[in-house]
């Protein structure tokens, strides 16, 4: 009955607590609730069928009792007994009809709950697919960013390596230039010294030549 349904709903809540969070878990929860409600509707259908069968049996007994009453000349005791039985059967019939109406109302409520759950499941399914698509796009973009980053790091490492090679080459050329400059400076200093030496030597030789010529001239005049 309805108490059993409440217990089932309680068990469903406990089961919901074990379901992982997120869209997938929500879809699973809705599917489980829909299956449980469908099972209960089938159970209510069987109960309703049993109630209908009971109503038919009660109707048949009422008709049988009325038939047994006979006409107005039947014995008063029999009439009273039959009336009592009829009253009891009619009460049973009223109770059965009440249960039947309650079952129909509960069945209708369960169907409404299932429809709502199905709509929610469709909604969550759409949301889940959208989230999956967005996650896939983000993963693709992240992969592209990582790939570009790797290429940038490779380009940076290559540039650093080239710069190191250029610096090394520049240092070598600087050392070679300084060495050549020192050697050239030495040559220039040596050349200056040689020029000064030659100039002084030529000057000395000229003075000696002039003295010799002067001595020869003096000798000639004598």
């Amino acid at each position: 009955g309805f108490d059993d349904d409440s217990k089932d709903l309680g068990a469903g809540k406990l089961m919901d607590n074990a379901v992982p969070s997120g869209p997938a878990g929500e879809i699973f929860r809705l599917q489980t609730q829909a299956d449980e409600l469908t099972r209960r509707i089938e159970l209510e259908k069987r109960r309703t069928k049993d109630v209908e069968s009971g109503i038919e049996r009660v109707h048949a007994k009422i008709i049988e009792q009325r038939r047994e009453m006979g006409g107005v000349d039947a014995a008063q005791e029999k009439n009273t007994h039959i009336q009592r039985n009829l009253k009891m059967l009619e009460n049973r019939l009223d109770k059965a009809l009440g249960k039947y109406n309650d079952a129909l109302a509960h069945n209708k409520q369960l169907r409404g709950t299932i429809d709502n759950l199905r709509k929610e499941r469709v909604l969550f399914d759409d949301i889940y697919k959208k989230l999956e698509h967005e996650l896939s796009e983000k993963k693709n973009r992240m992969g592209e960013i990582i790939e570009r980053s790797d290429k940038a790091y490779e380009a940076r490492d290559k540039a650093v390596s080239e710069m190191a090679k250029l610096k090394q080459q520049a240092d070598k050329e600087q050392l070679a230039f300084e060495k050549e400059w020192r050697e050239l400076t030495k040559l220039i200093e040596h050349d200056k010294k040689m020029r000064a030496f030659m100039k002084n030597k030529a000057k000395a030789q000229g003075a000696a030549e002039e003295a010799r010529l002067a001595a020869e001239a003096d000798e000639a005049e004598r």
Side-chain angles (χ1 to χ4, degrees):
F2 302 129
D3 293 338
D4 295 336
D5 295 336
S6 299
K7 293 178 181 177
D8 291 340
L9 287 174
K13 291 180 180 178
L14 291 175
M15 182 176 62
D16 289 341
N17 292 332
V19 175
S21 59
E26 186 65 19
I27 292 173
F28 177 79
R29 184 183 66 81
L30 294 174
Q31 179 63 52
T32 303
Q33 288 187 3
D35 294 340
E36 177 62 21
L37 290 174
T38 302
R39 184 187 67 79
R40 278 188 277 172
I41 284 178
E42 293 299 326
L43 182 61
E44 290 297 332
K45 284 182 179 180
R46 290 195 294 269
R47 291 176 180 172
T48 301
K49 187 175 181 180
D50 293 339
V51 171
E52 290 176 347
S53 299
I55 291 173
E56 291 177 358
R57 288 195 299 271
V58 171
H59 271 299
K61 288 184 178 180
I62 291 174
I63 293 173
E64 183 180 355
Q65 290 291 335
R66 286 177 176 171
R67 190 185 306 111
E68 291 178 356
M69 286 175 62
V72 294
D73 297 332
Q76 185 65 30
E77 293 82 4
K78 186 176 181 181
N79 183 47
T80 301
H81 177 71
I82 292 175
Q83 288 293 338
R84 190 183 299 113
N85 288 338
L86 284 175
K87 185 67 175 176
M88 181 182 65
L89 292 173
E90 286 174 354
N91 289 335
R92 289 174 59 186
L93 178 61
D94 290 338
K95 290 181 180 180
L97 287 173
K99 290 183 178 180
Y100 177 70
N101 291 331
D102 290 341
L104 289 179
H106 188 55
N107 193 9
K108 183 178 180 181
Q109 181 182 1
L110 289 177
R111 287 187 179 276
T113 303
I114 285 179
D115 290 338
N116 291 333
L117 287 174
R118 284 174 176 169
K119 291 177 182 178
E120 289 182 16
R121 186 180 65 183
V122 171
L123 177 62
F124 276 98
D125 189 45
D126 292 339
I127 294 174
Y128 181 71
K129 289 180 180 179
K130 183 178 179 182
L131 290 176
E132 273 191 330
H133 180 69
E134 291 179 357
L135 180 61
S136 177
E137 288 184 345
K138 287 181 179 179
K139 285 183 178 179
N140 292 334
R141 287 199 297 269
M142 184 63 68
E144 293 175 357
I145 292 172
I146 292 174
E147 184 178 358
R148 289 199 298 268
S149 177
D150 291 341
K151 290 182 179 179
Y153 280 121
E154 290 177 0
R156 187 200 64 178
D157 293 341
K158 185 177 180 180
V160 171
S161 178
E162 291 293 332
M163 288 177 63
K165 289 180 181 178
L166 291 174
K167 186 177 183 304
Q168 186 179 8
Q169 182 66 28
D171 291 341
K172 288 182 179 179
E173 291 179 357
Q174 178 69 23
L175 291 175
F177 172 77
E178 291 176 356
K179 182 179 179 181
E180 186 177 355
W181 176 258
R182 287 194 299 269
E183 292 177 354
L184 182 61
T185 300
K186 289 179 181 179
L187 289 174
I188 291 173
E189 291 296 328
H190 181 70
D191 185 64
K192 284 182 179 180
K193 290 179 180 179
M194 288 297 296
R195 286 177 182 275
F197 175 76
M198 295 300 294
K199 184 178 181 181
N200 291 331
K201 185 177 180 182
K203 186 175 181 181
Q205 288 177 352
E209 183 66 21
E210 287 179 359
R212 188 183 63 80
L213 291 175
E216 288 180 356
D218 290 341
E219 185 71 26
E221 289 179 357
R222 291 178 186 173

